Amino acid sequence: MRTLRPLRLLLPVVVLVAALGLFLGVGFMAFTASTGGFSGGTPGYGACDPSVRAPVGPLAGSRAGTRIGDLSDEQRRNAATIIGVARDMGAPPRAWLIALATAMQESTLRNINYGDRDSLGLFQQRPSQGWGSPAQVTDPVYATRIFIERLLEVPAWEAMPVTVAAQTVQRSAFPDAYAKWEGLAAELVQELADVADPTGCGRTAVLPEGVAGAAIAFALGEVGKPYVWGATGPNTYDCSGLMLRAFQAAGINLPRVSRQQFYAGGHVPISQAQPGDLLFYATDPSDPSTIHHVTMYLGDDQMVEAPYTGEQVRVRPVPWNFKELVPLATRPGTTPNTA
């Protein structure tokens, strides 16, 4: 029995180690699931899977409701400084966008001399955490430079959604907060630096003048007509049948069903949707093969759709926070990209 005593003493230790290992393993899997497991890339939509789910309109700011026209001269100057410093460092436009979204969340693009604990400046960087002296972190040029330096040191940062990349650098108490500023940041990069594709999703051509308007006019002219599955007009429609006829009226031929229509043009993040772009619902928004509904974006948070049996063609607000809304819109008739 004495020979078994050491084993009995070791048993609690073995159980504790096993439990700790199980806890860490489950925690790692949960982290991987929530972040997409950034091991050199992201699943589904990759770097063009922005975490913005609720923009306020096409190139019109952020989920927080701030538009570029709402910014003060001071905010625009600080945005221009961030872009200029990042560009001079050789960082790509996506890094500028991440920096702008971060500064908007941390300070609303104002170089403030106060903050939580010892946080200061555009990025609310803390001298006690090794960001620099108070004088340095309240210098917009220095603050931008050190933010970009640390961002570029993050492995595979280019493949991360904006909010994940920003949080990796900042380690904020509110890790998801940066996402709501991506639309505004993209608009700032486009307007202040004349960059057509700040998200890095691949430039999508602009439709010829009048095409989107003609498609929208047709769809709105069908409002009130009943939904019938498989119908393509002229008296009844299903969702993709309405899109098919609307763009046919504008001189663009679309495939018949919504899953095929998703590939009928270039993709843009929904934060950059323009009137005439197609929005999609999918059982799994990361898997286009599960798309089951298509609508047309009208601008000003509105869309037109043929929804389901028993309902009529209608105009309604876009449900930006709906869990089945696919994060990429399709611009029919433009060159498909790799987004």
Side-chain angles (χ1 to χ4, degrees):
M1 296 296 292
R2 289 180 180 176
T3 59
L4 295 177
R5 181 176 177 81
L7 294 177
R8 289 199 300 271
L9 294 175
L10 283 174
L11 184 59
V13 176
V14 172
V15 171
L16 179 62
V17 170
L20 179 61
L22 178 61
F23 173 78
L24 292 175
V26 171
F28 174 77
M29 287 187 291
F31 172 79
T32 301
S34 65
T35 62
F38 296 107
S39 55
T42 54
Y45 294 106
C48 292
D49 182 13
S51 41
V52 175
R53 291 283 184 147
V56 297
L59 289 181
S62 64
R63 281 188 295 185
T66 302
R67 301 167 184 263
I68 194 169
D70 299 330
L71 300 182
S72 67
D73 290 342
E74 175 195 3
Q75 290 172 305
R76 292 173 70 93
R77 283 196 304 271
N78 287 329
T81 297
I82 289 172
I83 291 172
V85 171
R87 179 168 47 198
D88 290 346
M89 292 176 67
R94 188 169 179 82
W96 316 351
L97 187 153
I98 293 169
L100 287 166
T102 301
M104 194 65 200
Q105 169 60 26
E106 298 292 350
S107 69
T108 62
L109 279 172
R110 294 179 297 125
N111 190 29
I112 53 180
N113 60 1
Y114 59 87
D116 178 49
R117 287 170 283 190
D118 60 334
S119 301
L120 298 167
L122 283 174
F123 295 90
Q124 288 291 279
Q125 293 156 338
R126 298 182 61 193
S128 64
Q129 300 300 310
W131 285 95
S133 68
Q136 287 176 318
V137 299
T138 51
D139 174 2
V141 173
Y142 172 89
T144 300
R145 180 173 291 277
I146 194 169
F147 177 88
I148 295 295
E149 286 176 353
R150 294 195 179 185
L151 173 66
L152 298 182
E153 290 172 356
V154 175
W157 68 269
E158 309 97 318
M160 295 178 178
V162 168
T163 192
V164 176
Q167 170 63 7
T168 304
V169 176
Q170 294 292 105
R171 303 195 180 280
S172 167
F174 304 97
D176 298 323
Y178 306 103
K180 64 179 175 286
W181 299 111
E182 183 178 352
L184 177 62
E187 189 179 3
L188 283 166
V189 173
Q190 288 179 313
E191 179 171 309
L192 300 180
D194 194 27
V195 173
D197 179 33
T199 63
C201 289
R203 183 172 182 174
T204 300
V206 177
L207 283 171
E209 184 176 357
V211 169
I216 290 172
F218 180 93
L220 292 179
E222 307 307 288
V223 168
K225 293 186 177 180
Y227 175 98
V228 172
W229 186 84
T232 60
N235 299 316
T236 58
Y237 295 93
D238 67 6
C239 64
S240 55
L242 179 63
M243 302 302 115
L244 174 74
R245 297 305 181 201
F247 275 93
Q248 190 176 71
I252 293 176
N253 293 318
L254 296 183
R256 171 63 188 93
V257 300
S258 56
R259 286 187 297 276
Q260 296 170 340
Q261 290 176 355
F262 178 75
Y263 295 103
H267 292 147
V268 295
I270 56 173
S271 62
Q272 298 180 26
Q274 296 179 4
D277 288 353
L278 301 182
L279 305 177
F280 298 87
Y281 297 170
T283 305
D284 176 358
S286 68
D287 182 0
S289 70
T290 67
I291 287 173
H292 58 80
H293 186 55
V294 57
T295 78
M296 184 188 299
Y297 185 56
L298 301 175
D300 297 326
D301 293 332
Q302 300 293 308
M303 67 182 188
V304 59
E305 64 172 351
Y308 46 78
T309 301
E311 187 56 83
Q312 300 172 334
V313 176
R314 64 186 182 183
V315 173
R316 65 186 294 259
V318 179
W320 294 117
N321 288 320
F322 183 44
K323 65 180 181 179
E324 293 192 358
L325 183 62
V326 174
L328 294 177
T330 295
R331 191 158 297 160
T334 63
T335 303
N337 55 18
T338 57

